[in-house]
Amino acid sequence: MDDIPAILENEAIRTGAFWNTKTQLWTNMWYFLEARVFGFSPAGFHAVNWLLHTAVACVLFGLGRDLLRGKWPAGVAWFGALLFAVHPLASEIPNYARTQDLAWVTLFSLLAAWAMLRYLGEGGWELVRGEDGQIPVFQKTHRWRKLVWCALAVAGATFSKGPGFLHAVMAVAMVVLAFFPKGGKRAWPWIAGLAVLGLLVVWGAGIFGNALNGLARWQEPRFIGHGYTVARVFWEFAWRSVVPVALSADHHIAETLVPKGVGYWNVPDRVAIASAWGMLALGALGVVLACREKWRVLGVCLALFVGTIAFRVFYLIPEFMPEYRIYPGLPWFCLGAAVVLAAAWQWLFAHVSPRGAVVVLLGGLAVLSAQRSFLWHDLDLLMKDVLRQYPAQARAIWELQDRDLKAGRWQEVIARHERDFPEVRRRFIASLGALAPARELPTGHFTLAETACMGRYARAVAHVKGPAEGLRRMADVESYLRLQRINPKTNPAHWNHFGHDKALILEMAGDYAAALKAMEPRSGEPQGWPFDYERIRQKQEDVTP
């Protein structure tokens, strides 16, 4: 889906200039190395994602074992790690190459929390041998090294994906809150130093500037509605974490609408208000439990599971529920679920081994994950599944059109646009009428998908009937954008897609100068299709005397 722009057409990955990407430096460096080793073979990228997913599960076991030491046997931590490894909500990461950034963020966040836990818990000594009734053997340790590892892990999360800093800091903060030792005043200077170092990393990565720019939007109705929508989405993720059914590669979530002047608390969507208060209460419960020694592991897991989705409020985009977004919070959910299930089993069946039930549960989840993986390996089946659940999701058509254009299947692109897209559009408009006035499907996102589909259709027509006919279709697209009052400054993506499709048709017509002009980015942003631009520029140079 986003693999092509994020990896295949990413100039930083193709040229090796990944150090210019700052908040994705680490991820893009790995993409670059994978491209050098495997080429751009999907199998190579998926193999690395599988290895990362396995590494996250292994680290979760180690962290869970230390969190639960003295209260539960190591088998509970194993159960939590295996539950995470086979959970269907985690299945997008291994099957979707572009999500490698979140796999790195999750791995580094768990490592940061683990390093802080070891720093707080060792007291200058660490157990090297002697668990499960054996004679314990300790050795003196240099605790400050754990803080160094923690700082490196936070930096790794930050440079894997910008929001990774928040994931790692939340995890470390909850561990400090829950496990800071009584009388541990000597630890505070070191932790304060780590916090200062973290702030410097954030400043250097440019995250502070982005956050300050976003503060001005907090009073906008769109931003308030976005926050309420995220609160509703949290509960969608929560129940699917417990019962992983009705999963989709591209959930279509309606936005909560906030009329101008109503403020934060008087929105017409009462379900959204209840969802927001419920999410805040659940997060607060997690923090309270984390401060109680008996419940602190559950509290940490609950607070971090809620926090993973809650801070998506700051990511203002109408793509509310790609399932990979839950990935950094899913390890905490699975570890907490393992503890709850182990406690329930011990209470109900104290003298019965849980192995059989564990095998059945993990086997059932593994089957569901395998089914999801098979869908991801066939784009037609994947998009058919999306449209089955969300008939108004235009992006499913967009994905299929891009695939067929690259394969040169012009007639299929034309037939799909004329046969299938009108029904998707009709369903979208009908859905808007049913949702108003409390909610609406993201119209800007639909308009973007419609613009892209119309442009792909025009390119296919140009190949079949000639560039002149394709340009006539592109004139229809331009008229549509102007009729919808799509502003190039506030919605540059719409016009950039239009310009790219028009440029490729002009290239077919041999008008390279006009093609380069059409591809000029709106609002001064980087060129979105640098390789197409460079190819057309080279053709222009070749024909220029």
Side-chain angles (χ1 to χ4, degrees):
M1 297 166 75
D2 288 340
D3 286 349
I4 292 174
I7 301 174
L8 192 61
E9 296 177 351
N10 189 327
E11 188 174 11
I13 295 168
R14 283 189 169 271
T15 63
F18 49 81
W19 54 83
N20 292 327
T21 55
K22 285 190 177 181
T23 56
Q24 286 198 296
L25 185 154
W26 179 263
T27 301
N28 283 337
M29 181 190 75
W30 275 93
Y31 282 147
F32 171 74
L33 294 174
E34 290 159 38
R36 293 300 171 271
V37 174
F38 306 113
F40 284 96
S41 166
F45 288 86
H46 290 164
V48 173
N49 280 24
W50 273 105
L51 289 173
L52 274 173
H53 180 60
T54 304
V56 172
C58 291
V59 171
L60 179 61
F61 163 69
L63 172 59
R65 179 197 58 195
D66 286 355
L67 285 169
L68 300 173
R69 180 172 281 131
K71 295 185 179 296
W72 291 97
V76 176
W78 266 120
F79 178 42
L82 291 172
L83 189 62
F84 167 76
V86 301
H87 200 290
L89 267 179
S91 63
E92 281 199 2
I93 296 295
N95 294 294
Y96 191 8
R98 162 261 175 272
T99 61
Q100 192 174 121
D101 51 3
L102 282 178
W104 283 115
V105 165
T106 307
L107 180 63
F108 281 125
S109 298
L110 293 178
L111 286 171
W114 195 9
M116 179 56 71
L117 180 68
R118 297 292 295 272
Y119 171 76
L120 294 173
E122 287 173 359
W125 297 85
E126 65 178 341
L127 180 69
V128 295
R129 193 167 61 251
E131 292 188 5
D132 299 327
Q134 300 176 3
I135 299 174
V137 177
F138 295 88
Q139 70 178 17
K140 192 169 180 60
T141 181
H142 299 287
R143 295 176 69 196
W144 61 270
R145 292 179 182 174
K146 304 300 186 301
L147 280 183
V148 173
W149 284 113
C150 183
L152 290 174
V154 171
T158 302
F159 291 107
S160 296
K161 187 178 180 71
F165 174 79
L166 294 176
H167 284 292
V169 167
M170 280 195 300
V172 171
M174 287 306 303
V175 167
V176 171
L177 177 67
F179 291 90
F180 193 82
K182 295 178 181 179
K185 294 181 180 179
R186 292 175 59 186
W188 277 118
W190 290 98
I191 295 175
L194 179 65
V196 171
L197 180 62
L199 292 175
L200 291 175
V201 169
V202 171
W203 177 78
I207 297 175
F208 266 153
N210 293 337
L212 291 175
N213 291 336
L215 287 177
R217 311 185 72 174
W218 285 21
Q219 300 298 321
E220 296 178 8
R222 169 87 189 283
F223 191 94
I224 300 171
H226 174 81
Y228 275 114
T229 307
V230 169
R232 288 178 21 239
V233 164
F234 165 76
W235 295 102
E236 296 273 355
F237 274 126
W239 76 256
R240 284 180 172 89
S241 298
V242 179
V243 184
V245 296
L247 305 183
S248 175
D250 203 3
H251 291 280
H252 209 189
I253 303 297
E255 290 185 88
T256 291
L257 293 175
V258 178
K260 289 185 178 181
V262 302
Y264 288 98
W265 312 115
N266 296 317
V267 301
D269 190 345
R270 298 304 175 189
V271 173
I273 294 176
S275 298
W277 280 112
M279 184 179 71
L280 292 174
L282 200 62
L285 176 62
V287 173
V288 170
L289 292 177
C291 298
R292 304 290 188 270
E293 184 173 355
K294 182 179 179 180
W295 304 98
R296 59 187 180 182
V297 173
L298 281 178
V300 168
C301 292
L302 180 59
L304 291 175
F305 178 64
V306 175
T308 298
I309 299 300
F311 89 80
R312 302 298 308 181
V313 169
F314 303 101
Y315 190 47
L316 190 59
I317 185 171
E319 230 182 358
F320 291 102
M321 202 178 164
E323 288 169 3
Y324 59 81
R325 297 251 173 91
I326 192 64
Y327 191 79
L330 200 59
W332 300 105
F333 169 83
C334 290
L335 182 60
V339 173
V340 171
L341 291 173
W345 187 273
Q346 189 179 68
W347 181 53
L348 295 171
F349 312 106
H351 303 294
V352 180
S353 171
R355 288 190 180 91
V358 167
V359 169
V360 170
L361 175 60
L362 295 179
L365 293 176
V367 169
L368 291 175
S369 291
Q371 290 176 341
R372 297 288 299 150
S373 296
F374 287 128
L375 280 178
W376 273 94
H377 287 273
D378 187 322
L379 188 63
D380 286 296
L381 290 178
L382 190 65
M383 294 301 104
K384 183 179 180 181
D385 181 67
V386 170
L387 289 170
R388 176 181 60 81
Q389 297 186 64
Y390 305 104
Q393 180 56 290
R395 200 164 74 159
I397 302 293
W398 180 1
E399 296 292 341
L400 294 171
Q401 299 294 65
D402 274 349
R403 189 270 314 274
D404 287 339
L405 269 179
K406 290 184 181 298
R409 295 191 284 263
W410 322 121
Q411 290 291 356
E412 291 190 27
V413 173
I414 292 171
R416 185 180 294 112
H417 187 82
E418 295 177 350
R419 179 190 66 235
D420 298 338
F421 194 84
E423 176 63 14
V424 172
R425 194 175 198 281
R426 186 190 69 78
R427 293 288 192 105
F428 182 84
I429 294 172
S431 298
L432 288 183
L435 290 166
R439 300 178 191 169
E440 70 160 11
L441 288 170
T443 51
H445 203 56
F446 181 87
T447 305
L448 176 61
E450 187 168 21
T451 301
C453 287
M454 292 170 71
R456 274 51 169 183
Y457 173 65
R459 284 164 56 187
V461 168
H463 279 281
V464 173
K465 299 183 179 180
E469 184 63 28
L471 288 173
R472 278 193 285 272
R473 304 287 180 176
M474 289 308 301
D476 294 339
V477 180
E478 184 172 9
S479 297
Y480 169 77
L481 288 171
R482 296 193 185 284
L483 181 66
Q484 297 295 325
R485 299 180 181 178
I486 304 297
N487 190 324
K489 293 183 179 180
T490 56
N491 297 96
H494 297 66
W495 286 96
N496 287 341
H497 275 283
F498 163 77
H500 177 244
D501 288 324
K502 183 177 181 180
L504 294 184
I505 298 174
L506 288 167
E507 180 189 13
M508 293 171 57
D511 193 347
Y512 305 127
L516 292 174
K517 183 174 178 59
M519 284 192 72
E520 290 178 359
R522 271 68 175 178
S523 302
E525 56 191 36
Q527 174 55 247
W529 295 270
F531 302 106
D532 288 340
Y533 186 86
E534 181 59 27
R535 183 188 66 249
I536 297 171
R537 189 192 64 78
Q538 188 62 52
K539 289 182 178 180
Q540 171 70 1
E541 287 186 359
D542 292 342
V543 300
T544 302

